[in-house]
DNA sequence: GTGATGACGCAGT
DNA sequence: GACTGCGCCATCA
């Protein structure tokens, strides 16, 4: 299966998110400087279904909310994976989100 | 080619 | 802090 050009870009950024940290769609989009935050989420939607190795659970929206958990096969899986890395989830939102936030460009 | 969709983000109120 | 509306642009029908 051919992977759309945008998806591969997202995989690379998401794949370099350090464990125990999270990032937002906007930051990824800004780092890629290709499209918008919507494109990131759009790409991840296929990514999760396609590449289970992809730590898409570390990607949340600008509110720190697990907006895409419903897209995971078991929606509960996303929260489980985050807690597994030490990230606490409350009311489907990342606790201390700003502290755990990791910015791609900041990593350079 | 046209129209609608979407795991979002931001400005305005 | 909350809600509303608009922009974003690749992908799908």
């Amino acid at each position: 299966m051919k992977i759309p050009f945008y998806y591969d870009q997202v995989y690379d950024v998401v794949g370099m998110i350090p464990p125990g940290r999270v990032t937002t769609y906007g930051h990824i989009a800004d780092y890629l400087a290709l499209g918008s935050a919507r494109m990131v989420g759009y790409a991840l939607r296929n990514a999760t279904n396609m590449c289970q190795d992809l730590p898409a659970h570390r990607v949340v929206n600008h509110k720190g909310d697990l907006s895409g958990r419903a897209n995971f096969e078991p929606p509960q899986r996303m929260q489980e994976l985050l807690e597994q890395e030490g990230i606490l989830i409350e009311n489907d939102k990342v606790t201390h989100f700003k502290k755990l936030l990791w910015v791609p460009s900041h990593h350079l």
Side-chain angles (χ1 to χ4, degrees):
Chain A
M1 175 179 179
K2 180 176 178 290
I3 301 175
F5 89 102
Y6 202 93
Y7 292 21
D8 186 63
Q9 299 295 313
V10 177
Y11 301 157
D12 185 59
V13 180
V14 176
M16 69 190 223
I17 300 174
R21 297 305 263 299
V22 295
T23 191
T24 70
Y25 303 95
H27 283 120
I28 293 175
D30 183 66
Y31 175 75
L32 295 176
L34 291 174
S36 60
R38 289 197 124 119
M39 273 56 272
V40 180
Y42 201 88
L44 284 227
R45 193 223 223 187
N46 285 318
T48 15
N49 190 25
M50 213 164 68
C51 303
Q52 201 171 56
D53 297 320
L54 194 73
H57 57 270
R58 294 178 190 156
V59 184
V60 297
N61 62 6
H62 78 115
K63 295 175 294 188
D65 180 17
L66 308 185
S67 46
R69 84 197 147 120
N71 206 298
F72 279 71
E73 190 175 299
Q76 192 174 330
R77 183 61 174 277
M78 187 173 185
Q79 179 176 333
E80 188 176 275
L81 290 169
L82 289 170
E83 291 185 324
Q84 195 173 117
E85 298 190 352
I87 301 175
L88 299 177
I89 307 299
E90 185 173 290
N91 193 16
D92 300 324
K93 299 176 187 61
V94 179
T95 59
H96 302 289
F97 163 63
K98 291 183 179 178
K99 292 175 66 177
L100 297 173
L101 180 61
W102 175 83
V103 184
S105 57
H106 186 270
H107 184 261
L108 297 175

